[in-house]
């Protein structure tokens, strides 16, 4: 009943007020799922196999030269004040930034004493910021901070051989200023950045993360200057850590400084809100790969599904400067239920029209049925995301040759022998294409083989099952409109394939059906009215946004998508935008932050009115997808926001798709055929400055205060420009990247159909 009311409200709003420029989504509304007939059947050539390999955890690695800890202000003896005193490890001789993150930060008095007890507070530049670790200006996503920036630190510290160089921080505020109080006291976070070549690198050991199995996380200390070659190769790659065509092997990470670690621990925030601390070890036991290699490992048994926030805490001593240091990293880890297991066989289905009947049959698409063993009851008739490489047999040499990859959303179905099928679709034209491009100049056909097949959870892109060795065992069936024939001979089907007009007349050009499958009738250009006045430019905000970030007066013929202060995974976000956009004859999208990921997800996996725009526009510079500040490869703030949000109640909840690991797994099945629709813009602070000084301490440089330039890169898309002195949101040091009238005018012009 609740769902029905929400749906009526949404449809009525659009239908009854179609002249409106804003469509607001009712709070709590869950978009309906897309019918399988509107799933796109994604396909592409073998040259793209590497793009779609399931990512290695090194691609989601985190580098850190900062620390983040939570503390509490405690009531003083007279009860009128709340105070805190603690120590901060200082190992830099150049620049140190100390940031206090608290709701009361405007009224917190900060004092910093050096190791001699001298008050050095006045030596720092103090920066107070209203919003820290923010993806948006939504009122739930604001945490103020006060930062103290110390330069030329060597002049403030005592030169001695004591390895512990600690400053003292003292905080004080009046009881009347307290905005949040728990049993422990008034919470705050302390973030410390030391400018130093000493950093920590951490990564998951595996992306195969299921309930009942161990989560293993590795960490090491390294010296940036001693790993120049590694970072040079890293910069050569797209999407942060690995471009799809890159041959460099970066999976081993930087060379560790194993003699520098004194202590390593893993602090874990469990899905149930409880915390646990585990000692990390370098003894070659359990899941630690090698003894005394400088790589420390900790493992935790995942007892339940959900998000685990993992913080590595590394304490060590720099063997050159003889100074102690502390570094932390934050990982957001998602664990899924073990719902199915792929088996080493599959089936191939052909749709064949019956003679002397009027039944219309589409004979182009071949069904590649991955087979799996269901491990839970609801694994049947469940929506999954799947991928596989397809190979065919060279009919002369009998060797396997690559044909195409296939992917997309799919609904599992029952199969024989207590198995289920995960059906994917491939155009028969790919066999013709493989024959034309075969180096042996001979035809290819059945039997087929699949390799590197995997199935993902739709909401989190979590890996459910994967096959990394070729699977050649398959049966063949013919699907007639009236019956199904199984156990068909390969030679018979090869005669059918190579005598089919679709194969005989193939001209070597890739058609739409070879990349997206057969377009449903309701999204074909001839079906949709040609009225250009019903084309809309949809302005889409990002995660947890309180309002549209774009200046409305800079756009024409637009509609605002408004889902205020919401937290949605990319698929749910995309389906919601789909419902809104399908009210119009055609649409294009202008998106900010996560909105760029959601609209790319929509255009990738589902047929919509956006596809009408790709065939009906007369604008020579038309752009279907344009985005500003979108973290396509994730943001370093996702894990941090998950942890501090738990303490302060800020943000709109944990969003795994915005983490490095989550984004990498999501990108795995995003093809070049839809990436090419994307035109994206990025920005940053003025040189030698920042957008948010606290965020800048945990993000890679340059960044816009939320999205790092390195992780906004999307290979296969068009990076239009990178602008300086513009930030992610309004409440940062420089103006919002969405308020640039010149850029908005350009974006608006290219988003119009005519």
């Amino acid at each position: 009943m609740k769902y029905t009311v929400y749906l009526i409200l949404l449809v009525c709003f659009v239908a009854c007020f179609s002249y409106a420029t804003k469509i607001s989504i009712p709070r709590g509304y869950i978009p309906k799922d897309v019918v399988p007939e509107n799933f796109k059947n994604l396909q592409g050539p073998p040259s793209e196999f590497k793009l779609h390999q399931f990512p290695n955890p090194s691609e989601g690695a985190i580098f850190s030269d900062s620390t983040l800890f939570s503390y509490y202000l405690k009531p003083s003896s007279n009860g009128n004040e709340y105070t805190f005193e603690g120590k901060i490890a200082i190992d830099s001789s150049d620049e140190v930034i100390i940031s206090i993150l608290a709701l009361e930060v405007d009224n917190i008095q900060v004092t910093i004493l050096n190791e001699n007890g001298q008050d050095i507070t006045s030596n720092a530049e103090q920066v107070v910021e209203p919003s820290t670790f923010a993806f948006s200006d939504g009122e739930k996503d604001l945490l103020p901070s006060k930062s103290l920036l110390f330069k030329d630190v060597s002049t403030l510290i005592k030169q001695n051989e004591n390895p512990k160089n600690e400053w003292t921080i003292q905080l004080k505020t009046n009881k009347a200023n307290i905005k949040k109080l728990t049993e422990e006291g008034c919470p705050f976070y302390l973030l410390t950045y030391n400018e130093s070549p000493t950093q920590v690198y951490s990564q998951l050991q595996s992306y195969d993360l299921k309930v009942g199995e161990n989560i293993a996380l590795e960490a090491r200390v390294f010296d940036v200057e001693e790993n120049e070659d590694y970072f040079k190769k890293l910069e050569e790659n797209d999407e942060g850590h690995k471009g799809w065509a890159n041959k460099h092997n970066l999976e081993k990470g930087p060379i560790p400084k194993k003699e520098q670690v004194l202590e390593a621990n893993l602090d874990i925030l469990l899905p149930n809100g409880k915390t646990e601390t585990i000692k990390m070890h370098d003894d070659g036991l359990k899941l630690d790969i090698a003894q005394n290699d400088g790589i420390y490992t900790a493992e935790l048994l995942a007892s339940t599904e959900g998000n685990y926030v993992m913080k590595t805490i590394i304490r060590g001593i720099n063997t050159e400067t003889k100074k102690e240091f502390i570094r932390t990293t934050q990982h957001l880890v998602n664990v899924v239920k073990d719902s199915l297991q792929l088996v080493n066989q599959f089936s191939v289905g052909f749709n064949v029209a019956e003679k002397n009947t009027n039944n219309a049959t589409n004979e182009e698409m071949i069904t590649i049925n991955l087979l799996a063993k269901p491990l839970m009851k609801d694994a049947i008739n469940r929506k999954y995301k799947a991928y596989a490489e397809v190979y065919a047999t060279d009919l002369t040499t009998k060797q396997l040759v690559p044909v195409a990859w296939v992917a997309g959303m799919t609904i599992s179905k029952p199969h024989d022998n207590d198995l289920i099928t995960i059906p994917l679709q491939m155009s028969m034209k790919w066999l013709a294409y493989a024959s034309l491009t075969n180096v042996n100049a001979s035809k290819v056909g059945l039997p087929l083989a699949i390799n590197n097949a995997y199935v993902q959870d739709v909401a989190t892109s979590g890996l459910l099952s994967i096959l990394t060795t070729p699977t050649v065992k398959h049966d063949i069936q013919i699907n007639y409109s009236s019956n199904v024939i199984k156990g068909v001979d390969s030679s018979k089907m090869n005669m059918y394939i190579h005598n089919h007009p679709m194969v005989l007349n193939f001209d070597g050009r890739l058609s739409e059906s070879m990349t997206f499958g057969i377009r449903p009738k309701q999204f074909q250009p001839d079906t949709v009215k040609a009225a250009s006045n019903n084309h809309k430019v949809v302005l889409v905000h990002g995660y947890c946004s309180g309002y549209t970030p774009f200046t409305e007066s800079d756009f024409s013929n637009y509609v605002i998508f408004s889902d205020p202060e919401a937290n949605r995974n990319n698929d749910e976000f995309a389906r919601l935008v789909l419902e809104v956009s399908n009210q119009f004859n055609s649409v294009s999208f202008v998106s900010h932050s996560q909105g760029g990921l959601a609209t790319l997800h929509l255009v990738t996996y589902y047929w919509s009115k956006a596809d009408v725009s790709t065939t009906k526009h007369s604008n020579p510079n038309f752009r279907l997808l344009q985005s500003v500040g979108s973290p396509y490869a994730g943001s370093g703030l996702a894990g941090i926001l998950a942890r501090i949000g738990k303490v302060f109640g800020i943000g709109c909840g944990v969003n795994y798709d915005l983490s490095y690991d989550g984004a990498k797994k999501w990108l795995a099945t995003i093809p070049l055929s839809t990436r090419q629709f994307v035109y994206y813009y990025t920005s940053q602070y003025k040189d030698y400055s920042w957008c948010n000084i606290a965020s800048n301490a945990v993000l890679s440089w340059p960044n816009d205060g939320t999205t790092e330039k390195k992780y906004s890169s999307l290979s296969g898309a068009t990076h239009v420009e990178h602008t300086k002195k513009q930030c992610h949101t309004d409440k940062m040091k420089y103006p919002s990247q969405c308020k640039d009238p010149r850029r908005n005018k350009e974006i608006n012009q290219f988003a119009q159909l005519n």
Side-chain angles (χ1 to χ4, degrees):
M1 179 63 184
K2 184 178 180 181
Y3 173 84
T4 304
V5 172
Y6 283 148
L7 185 58
I8 291 173
L9 285 171
L10 179 64
V11 173
C12 182
F13 189 98
V14 178
C16 302
F17 303 95
S18 59
Y19 56 84
T21 58
K22 184 175 182 179
I23 298 179
S24 294
I25 308 303
R27 289 185 183 273
Y29 175 72
I30 304 299
K32 60 185 178 181
D33 215 336
V34 179
V35 296
E37 291 77 13
N38 291 340
F39 292 174
K40 288 185 176 179
N41 303 129
L42 304 175
Q43 307 146 79
S47 59
E48 298 172 10
F49 281 178
K50 190 168 185 178
L51 173 66
H52 298 296
Q53 288 180 358
F54 201 78
N56 184 283
S58 63
E59 298 173 42
I62 294 178
F63 303 81
S64 174
D65 47 14
S66 63
T67 63
L68 181 69
F69 290 104
S70 61
Y71 300 101
Y72 293 91
L73 294 164
K74 301 284 187 177
S76 61
S77 56
N78 61 21
N80 295 324
E81 294 179 334
Y82 275 71
T83 63
F84 170 83
E85 181 172 310
K87 299 292 185 179
I88 302 174
I90 303 298
D91 63 280
S92 174
S93 59
D94 298 317
E95 181 175 290
V96 170
I97 300 173
I98 301 170
S99 299
I100 300 94
L101 291 81
L103 298 174
E104 304 83 2
V105 77
D106 285 343
N107 297 301
I108 292 179
Q109 178 183 328
V110 183
T111 302
I112 305 294
L113 309 177
N114 67 9
E115 68 275 23
N116 296 324
Q118 177 187 0
D119 187 344
I120 58 173
T121 311
S122 60
N123 293 85
E125 175 186 352
Q126 291 201 27
V127 180
V128 178
E129 297 170 305
S131 174
T132 305
F133 302 151
F135 280 93
S136 73
D137 287 321
E139 60 184 41
K140 280 189 175 183
D141 202 15
L142 303 177
L143 180 64
S145 65
K146 178 181 289 186
S147 299
L148 286 79
L149 170 60
F150 294 89
K151 296 184 177 180
D152 299 322
V153 173
S154 60
T155 64
L156 304 175
I157 60 178
K158 181 180 178 181
Q159 302 299 323
N160 56 46
E161 296 183 359
N162 182 3
K164 281 195 174 184
N165 184 37
E166 294 180 323
W167 289 356
T168 300
I169 180 170
Q170 299 174 340
L171 306 180
K172 181 172 64 174
T173 189
N174 192 283
K175 180 180 179 180
N177 298 326
I178 300 298
K179 296 181 180 179
K180 184 176 181 63
L181 197 60
T182 69
E183 293 181 357
E184 294 87 352
C186 175
F188 72 94
Y189 269 84
L190 182 62
L191 172 67
T192 306
Y193 161 76
N194 281 272
E195 183 180 4
S196 166
T198 301
Q199 295 191 16
V200 165
Y201 166 103
S202 62
Q203 67 163 80
L204 287 164
Q205 207 173 75
S206 170
Y207 276 158
D208 192 4
L209 302 167
K210 301 188 183 73
V211 174
E213 299 180 3
N214 279 313
I215 307 170
L217 194 114
E218 302 176 345
R220 73 191 72 174
V221 173
F222 71 96
D223 188 296
V224 173
E225 295 172 355
E226 294 176 6
N227 286 272
E228 289 184 357
D229 184 59
Y230 170 83
F231 282 98
K232 181 180 179 180
K233 292 177 180 178
L234 206 60
E235 291 299 322
E236 293 173 358
N237 289 277
D238 295 322
E239 299 173 6
H241 287 266
K242 185 191 77 174
W244 65 275
N246 193 280
K247 297 181 180 180
H248 294 308
N249 180 6
L250 301 173
E251 296 178 0
K252 294 182 179 180
I255 301 170
K257 296 278 286 188
K258 58 184 179 180
E259 70 276 10
Q260 291 195 350
V261 177
L262 299 176
E263 184 182 18
N265 291 296
L266 184 64
D267 183 66
I268 306 158
L269 177 62
L270 302 169
N272 61 9
K274 296 181 179 180
T275 60
E276 185 173 341
T277 300
I278 300 174
K279 184 177 179 62
M280 305 184 78
H281 51 97
D282 184 21
D283 52 13
L285 302 176
K286 295 182 179 180
L287 296 180
D288 187 58
I289 296 174
Q291 182 179 10
N292 296 326
D293 63 352
I295 301 175
Y296 288 74
T297 306
E299 56 270 352
L300 171 75
L301 181 66
S303 59
T304 184
E305 65 179 325
N307 292 304
Y308 295 71
V309 185
M310 296 186 161
K311 177 170 72 174
T312 64
I313 306 169
I314 310 295
R315 184 174 68 88
I317 185 165
N318 189 308
T319 52
E320 295 179 0
T321 65
K322 308 301 181 184
K323 296 298 181 183
E324 282 196 13
F325 63 85
I326 301 178
R327 301 287 187 266
T328 63
T329 63
Q330 305 274 348
H331 283 263
L332 181 56
V333 180
N334 183 266
V335 173
V336 296
K337 287 184 178 179
D338 198 2
S339 63
L340 59 81
Q341 182 180 3
L342 291 172
V343 299
N344 289 304
Q345 63 184 96
F346 65 105
S347 69
V348 181
F350 291 83
N351 298 318
V352 179
E354 294 181 277
K355 295 181 179 180
N356 303 319
T357 67
N358 294 322
N359 295 326
T361 301
N362 187 326
E363 298 184 335
E364 179 176 349
M365 304 306 294
I366 302 171
T367 303
I368 308 295
N369 283 305
L370 309 182
L371 298 182
K373 178 182 178 181
L375 301 179
M376 60 184 190
K377 292 181 179 179
D378 63 353
I380 302 174
N381 297 319
R382 185 182 180 93
K383 183 180 177 183
Y384 293 102
K385 185 165 56 171
Y387 169 86
E389 298 170 0
V390 180
Y391 296 76
T393 301
D394 184 314
L395 298 182
T396 300
T397 66
K398 306 303 179 183
Q399 299 296 311
L400 290 176
V401 296
V403 173
W405 60 263
V406 292
M409 299 293 175
T410 180
I411 304 294
S412 61
K413 300 177 182 179
H415 189 68
D416 301 334
N417 302 319
D418 296 323
L419 298 177
I420 59 175
T421 66
I422 310 294
L424 296 170
Q425 299 279 314
M426 182 183 78
S427 170
M428 189 189 301
K429 295 177 182 177
W430 281 109
L431 293 173
Y433 180 88
S435 295
L436 285 177
T437 57
N438 187 2
V439 293
N440 296 322
S442 58
K443 293 180 180 180
V444 304
L446 278 62
L448 303 180
I450 59 171
N451 194 20
N452 292 319
Y454 54 84
V455 180
Q456 294 175 277
D457 175 67
V458 173
T460 65
S461 296
L463 180 64
L464 298 175
S465 188
I466 187 168
L467 294 175
T468 55
T469 56
T471 299
V472 297
K473 182 180 179 181
H474 71 83
D475 62 356
I476 303 169
Q477 68 180 42
I478 297 178
N479 303 314
Y480 292 110
S481 58
S482 60
N483 67 319
V484 175
I485 300 178
K486 297 182 178 181
V488 181
D489 183 69
S490 294
S491 59
K492 178 180 178 181
M493 288 313 303
N494 283 333
M495 290 181 61
Y496 168 79
I497 292 168
H498 293 292
N499 286 295
H500 198 287
M502 198 175 301
V503 173
L504 291 173
N505 299 326
F506 181 66
D507 59 6
R509 291 182 294 182
L510 301 186
S511 63
E512 180 180 81
S513 61
M514 293 176 69
T515 51
F516 300 123
I518 305 299
R519 182 185 290 236
K521 184 176 181 180
Q522 67 267 34
F523 301 116
Q524 293 178 4
D526 295 337
T527 304
V528 181
K529 294 180 181 179
S532 60
N533 60 356
N534 201 26
H535 172 82
K536 291 296 181 182
V537 178
V538 184
L539 305 181
V540 184
H541 58 67
Y543 162 83
C544 200
S545 183
Y547 52 85
T548 178
F550 295 100
T551 305
E552 297 178 37
S553 58
D554 291 338
F555 294 87
S556 59
N557 199 32
Y558 68 94
V559 63
I560 296 171
F561 169 87
S562 179
D563 186 23
E565 297 177 358
N567 175 23
R568 301 184 186 271
N569 60 60
N570 288 341
D571 187 70
E572 186 179 4
F573 200 154
R575 289 187 284 114
L576 198 56
V577 176
L578 174 68
E579 289 187 19
V580 170
S581 61
N582 275 352
Q583 306 297 321
F584 308 102
N585 283 352
S586 62
V587 294
S588 56
F589 298 110
V590 175
S591 307
H592 181 238
S593 199
Q594 191 195 1
L597 283 66
T599 51
L600 174 56
H601 185 100
L602 164 59
V603 170
T604 295
Y605 295 109
Y606 306 119
W607 290 103
S608 70
K609 293 298 180 63
D611 295 292
V612 176
S613 303
T614 62
T615 52
K616 294 189 76 71
H617 72 84
S618 58
N619 182 348
N621 297 310
F622 177 73
R623 298 174 182 174
L624 182 64
L625 300 174
Q626 299 181 84
S627 67
V628 181
S630 291
Y632 290 104
S635 169
L637 297 188
I640 293 174
L641 189 58
R643 184 174 287 269
I644 66 174
K646 182 71 176 178
V647 174
F648 293 103
I650 66 166
C652 299
V654 177
N655 193 304
Y656 185 64
D657 283 338
L658 293 175
S659 70
Y660 293 148
D661 293 313
K664 286 296 180 183
K665 290 188 276 189
W666 170 74
L667 278 171
T669 52
I670 302 294
L672 291 180
S673 55
T674 54
R675 293 179 187 221
Q676 67 180 358
F677 291 136
V678 176
Y679 291 77
Y680 65 98
Y681 297 78
T682 56
S683 70
Q684 68 168 84
Y685 39 75
K686 179 184 177 182
D687 287 340
Y688 309 107
S689 184
W690 60 81
C691 280
N692 181 281
I693 192 170
S695 296
N696 205 46
V698 297
L699 297 175
S700 66
W701 301 345
N703 60 74
D704 63 14
T706 300
T707 298
E708 300 136 299
K709 184 174 184 289
K710 178 168 66 172
Y711 296 99
S712 65
S713 177
L714 182 66
S715 64
T718 300
H719 185 196
V720 183
E721 68 178 18
H722 182 73
T723 306
K724 295 182 179 179
K725 294 193 288 187
Q726 290 183 3
C727 297
H728 199 79
T729 70
D730 287 326
K731 295 180 174 63
M732 293 184 177
K733 187 171 184 178
Y734 298 99
S736 166
Q737 58 196 188
C738 296
K739 302 297 173 63
D740 184 334
R742 175 200 60 81
R743 181 193 297 126
N744 287 349
K745 181 179 179 181
E746 174 183 297
I747 289 175
N748 180 62
Q749 176 186 350
F750 295 149
Q752 303 299 330
L753 201 62
N754 300 311

